[in-house]
Amino acid sequence: MCGIFGVHGHPEAAHLTYLGLYALQHRGQESAGIVSSNGHEQYVHRAMGLVADGITEKHLRQLPGRHAVGHVRYSTAGGSSLRNAQPFCATTDGGSVAIAHNGNLVNASAIRRELEGRGSILTSTSDSEVIVHLLARSREGTLEDRLIDALSRVKGAFSLAMLTDDALVLARDPWGFRPLVLGRLGSAWVAASETCALDLIGAEYERDVEPGEMVVIRRGRMRTLRPWVMAPRQAFCIFEHIYFARPDSNVAGQNVYAFRKELGRILAREHPVSADMIVPVLDSGNAAALGYAEESGIPYEAALVRNQYVKRTFIEPSQSIRDFRVRIKHNASRGMIAGRRVVLVEDSIVRGTTLLKLVDLIRHAGATEVHVRVSSPPNTGPCHYGIDTPTREELIAHRHSVEEIRRILGADSLGYLSLEGLRRASEQLKHGICDACFSDDYPVLSEDDPELPQLSLFRPPIEVDGEDSDT
Ligand code: AMP
């Protein structure tokens, strides 16, 4: 998964982009990058690691200009290395471009092979780079038309921001898998994966970039295009709401925290239980646990405590302490839990590793019963559109029934939100959803799959409703 951010027409474009990426850090921690433009030339800085570690004040001073795009990366396609860090840059005969992409393409390998066969040298293993190469090779005239041409060749998920020397171009695939919003900061335009990034810089949310829409902002004026044929349906990733997006963001017209709470309420109605306390798995289960507690009338207690400062590299004791790795991250508050019946609420189960350890931890803290409630349906399929999930075989719900998972976890009961419950809650969203990881209903099949619908998304660009800004 990744986060993208863009600014058009602000004297502190790179600084604002830095802050925007900071707010989007949860969308990717592997690398961060900013490209700025002063209207004639582009400047780039990319680094591995977190935004605050890889981008310093000195780097920002070397990113001049009133326009910028930025990217935080969480590798879902391609390995972990600086050459995969975005934005990707290219110099074409039509000028410089920098592209920041969120989403996975399902035909990137086929296009990569085709490009390499025609002599392109791709420097990364990321599927996003193929967009830059398709654009560079396009015979269309303007860079916008070349981007339309390039994106009509790819299948799958893209929410992207492209910086040319003088324009910010935003595009969202016709299915609308990944989020992308547009905002204003005075006379400047801002784009971000999530509204929490607009909030940080004090920008006003204007609207979502719609599925299948391309927005071109040049010299302070915005115009909108619908260059691709509509998808048969919209497919906004519901896992953004369940787990991935920040709870303070509004995504697809719905506050993420409120949505998660609603899932918790439905879960309480679907799987009631007699217990003494509702305990969230921090922080992912917080909102759903509150919803469950409100609906059931059972008190919410933060009886699991998480150490916020756990680093990947820590010094382990030479003598093995039982469950050391889980205990360093979580502790169950014995004084709260001993002798009580606990309902543990989590947003999702992937491999089952987290809950296996936490159920055990809570039992050892003296709980008399441990009931597990999950605010999403059993996760039975991988994501092809940008969420980093393991292979189908590694998903515990693919290999085991709910009863088997309950036994593996050592829980007294286990209840998942139903797919119907999730779909009912999703009716309040602005767009239709993709719930393929729970339902196996994949809107676009992977290129490897012979059943891939051969849908051509290209049609000549038509401007639908030109919108001018006041600048
Ligand atoms: P697991 O321990 O493998 O069952 O993973 C479940 C935990 O990982 C839950 O706490 C989720 O909140 C979290 N989670 C779910 N999907 C992802 C993902 N794609 N990347 C990182 N964490 C995830």
Side-chain angles (χ1 to χ4, degrees), residues 188-430:
W189 289 92
V190 185
S193 294
E194 289 181 38
T195 57
C196 64
L198 303 183
D199 295 340
L200 176 60
I201 61 163
E204 287 288 320
Y205 166 79
E206 180 98 355
R207 66 175 180 85
D208 285 16
V209 175
E210 295 297 327
E213 183 183 14
M214 177 183 269
V215 170
V216 181
I217 307 167
R218 175 175 284 114
R219 286 187 282 283
R221 294 160 70 89
M222 189 263 266
R223 72 199 165 98
T224 168
L225 310 168
R226 297 267 179 185
W228 303 290
V229 291
M230 277 169 60
R233 65 178 171 96
Q234 290 177 342
F236 183 79
C237 169
I238 198 60
F239 207 66
E240 293 267 357
H241 277 92
I242 291 169
Y243 169 74
F244 205 75
R246 238 172 70 163
D248 50 336
S249 286
N250 281 347
V251 177
Q254 169 72 43
N255 175 258
V256 172
Y257 177 83
F259 187 84
R260 286 180 190 165
K261 234 176 132 182
E262 177 60 17
L263 295 185
R265 282 195 201 98
I266 300 172
L267 185 61
R269 291 197 290 272
E270 290 185 346
H271 297 284
V273 62
S274 176
D276 300 310
M277 65 174 78
I278 309 298
V279 175
V281 176
L282 301 173
D283 296 311
S284 45
N286 285 0
L290 263 173
Y292 195 108
E294 276 182 13
E295 185 70 23
S296 64
I298 303 169
Y300 171 102
E301 303 286 4
L304 266 182
V305 176
R306 196 162 74 106
N307 185 331
Q308 309 280 353
Y309 306 101
V310 178
K311 293 270 181 202
R312 265 185 212 155
T313 50
F314 54 77
I315 302 156
E316 292 194 44
S318 52
Q319 263 199 320
S320 99
I321 298 174
R322 198 175 157 279
D323 287 337
F324 179 77
R325 277 175 182 271
V326 70
R327 278 166 199 274
I328 197 163
K329 197 166 166 195
H330 291 101
N331 194 24
S333 175
R334 180 174 290 276
M336 292 291 301
I337 284 174
R340 320 282 295 278
R341 296 165 302 166
V342 171
V343 181
L344 187 59
V345 179
E346 173 64 306
D347 70 291
S348 59
I349 306 182
V350 182
R351 294 182 175 87
T353 332
T354 311
L355 277 175
L356 182 66
K357 289 169 179 163
L358 292 182
V359 169
D360 190 50
L361 201 64
I362 287 176
R363 264 203 210 290
H364 277 86
T368 53
E369 292 173 22
V370 186
H371 303 273
V372 174
R373 295 292 178 270
V374 186
S375 61
S376 61
N379 189 345
T380 48
C383 178
H384 299 312
Y385 318 119
I387 297 280
D388 182 31
T389 37
T391 60
R392 199 180 285 274
E393 283 60 44
E394 290 170 273
L395 296 168
I396 191 167
H398 171 70
R399 289 182 288 116
H400 298 283
S401 68
V402 174
E403 173 53 19
E404 285 168 350
I405 298 170
R406 182 197 68 75
R407 264 189 268 133
I408 292 168
L409 298 180
D412 292 283
S413 74
L414 168 63
Y416 282 93
L417 184 74
S418 68
L419 186 58
E420 297 68 39
L422 177 66
R423 287 181 171 172
R424 217 174 325 114
S426 307
E427 282 165 12
Q428 48 186 290
L429 302 184
K430 221 171 64 180

